[in-house]
Amino acid sequence: MADENVIEEEIIEVDNNEEENKVEEEMDSTPIMENKTNFTKEGFSQMNKEVAKKSYYLVFICEAILLAIDVWLYISKSWAFAIIASVLIVIYPFILKFSASSHISKNFLMYENAYKNAGYDYAFYETRMTLHFTYGDDPNNFQDGEVPYTSIYYVIENNDFLFIFISANQAYIVDKKGFEEEGDVPRLLDLLKSKEIKIIDRSKKTK
């Protein structure tokens, strides 16, 4: 009798697992929400600026090194070199900012020419997101992809976009205005949080 009870419990457990799997499959077969995002310079620039922020630590280190050299040159009374170092400390961040802006603009023009009239159609499911990328005037120019939520590094939110990072330097741009319903953005963020995905909020809340 004991063996029969164990077998019955195992059968019940298997049945429960099968039911749970069916429920999960049904939940993951229909998108919870959808989004359409056009490829624009604004979104591309903001995404690249988020990536570039990681280099700020390097800029800070370089500035600290230059400051230390500058102090040593003043102590050594090497006035000419000290003045040059002081000028570099002041203009170095501006040079980097100009270089980064030029690089972003150049890259956008390259992508804009390659991906004319480009856009993403996103669908967000319970455990994954899918995307349909179209570009150009030919309907055959498209790419399809799928990203499980477990592959997402983190998400950055600002006032206009969500940047879904799938690596340290690569992200999908999701335009908040491209959702069908007004409450889709907080619903998506809640869904991603439930999957233990880090959300970095850089939006400026209006009172």
Side-chain angles (χ1 to χ4, degrees):
M1 291 293 293
D3 291 339
E4 290 180 1
N5 290 335
V6 170
I7 292 172
E8 288 179 0
E9 288 177 1
E10 289 178 350
I11 292 172
I12 293 171
E13 185 176 349
V14 170
D15 290 340
N16 289 337
N17 290 336
E18 288 179 353
E19 287 295 327
E20 289 176 2
N21 291 334
K22 286 181 182 179
V23 171
E24 288 181 0
E25 287 176 4
E26 289 175 1
M27 291 177 65
D28 213 37
S29 62
T30 305
I32 298 172
M33 65 199 72
E34 296 178 330
N35 174 280
K36 185 173 183 62
T37 296
N38 295 321
F39 182 73
T40 64
K41 186 174 182 179
E42 181 184 9
F44 183 80
S45 299
Q46 289 190 36
M47 186 270 288
N48 277 273
K49 286 177 181 177
E50 292 295 341
V51 172
K53 284 179 181 179
K54 296 178 181 179
S55 65
Y56 288 174
Y57 295 105
L58 180 60
V59 173
F60 177 79
I61 292 170
C62 291
E63 287 280 276
I65 292 171
L66 281 173
L67 181 60
I69 293 172
D70 195 26
V71 171
W72 180 79
L73 289 171
Y74 274 110
I75 293 173
S76 302
K77 297 184 179 180
S78 301
W79 306 118
F81 290 108
I83 292 171
I84 292 172
S86 298
V87 172
L88 284 174
I89 290 172
V90 174
I91 67 172
Y92 180 63
F94 295 98
I95 293 173
L96 284 181
K97 184 176 181 179
F98 175 77
S99 176
S101 298
S102 300
H103 182 70
I104 290 172
S105 297
K106 183 179 179 181
N107 279 352
F108 176 77
L109 290 174
M110 181 181 68
Y111 281 108
E112 186 180 39
N113 293 330
Y115 300 126
K116 183 181 179 183
N117 301 324
Y120 284 95
D121 289 303
Y122 297 103
F124 298 93
Y125 297 80
E126 180 64 28
T127 64
R128 62 196 169 95
M129 60 177 273
T130 61
L131 53 109
H132 179 71
F133 177 60
T134 56
Y135 57 95
D137 299 321
D138 188 342
N140 294 319
N141 291 336
F142 69 89
Q143 297 174 8
D144 290 328
E146 180 176 301
V147 180
Y149 294 145
T150 52
S151 298
I152 296 176
Y153 277 43
Y154 54 87
V155 175
I156 293 179
E157 177 194 9
N158 66 18
N159 281 22
D160 303 309
F161 300 95
L162 300 175
F163 302 110
I164 300 176
F165 279 80
I166 57 171
S167 72
N169 299 309
Q170 184 181 4
Y172 289 109
I173 304 168
V174 180
D175 191 340
K176 286 184 173 181
K177 296 177 182 176
F179 286 98
E180 296 178 342
E181 298 181 13
E182 187 176 347
D184 281 347
V185 174
R187 284 176 62 210
L188 175 59
L189 293 175
D190 287 341
L191 173 63
L192 297 177
K193 287 176 184 176
S194 72
K195 308 302 178 183
E196 298 184 352
I197 297 171
K198 183 179 181 181
I199 309 295
I200 302 172
D201 187 357
R202 292 194 174 132
S203 60
K204 297 177 181 177
K205 305 296 184 183
T206 55
K207 296 182 179 180

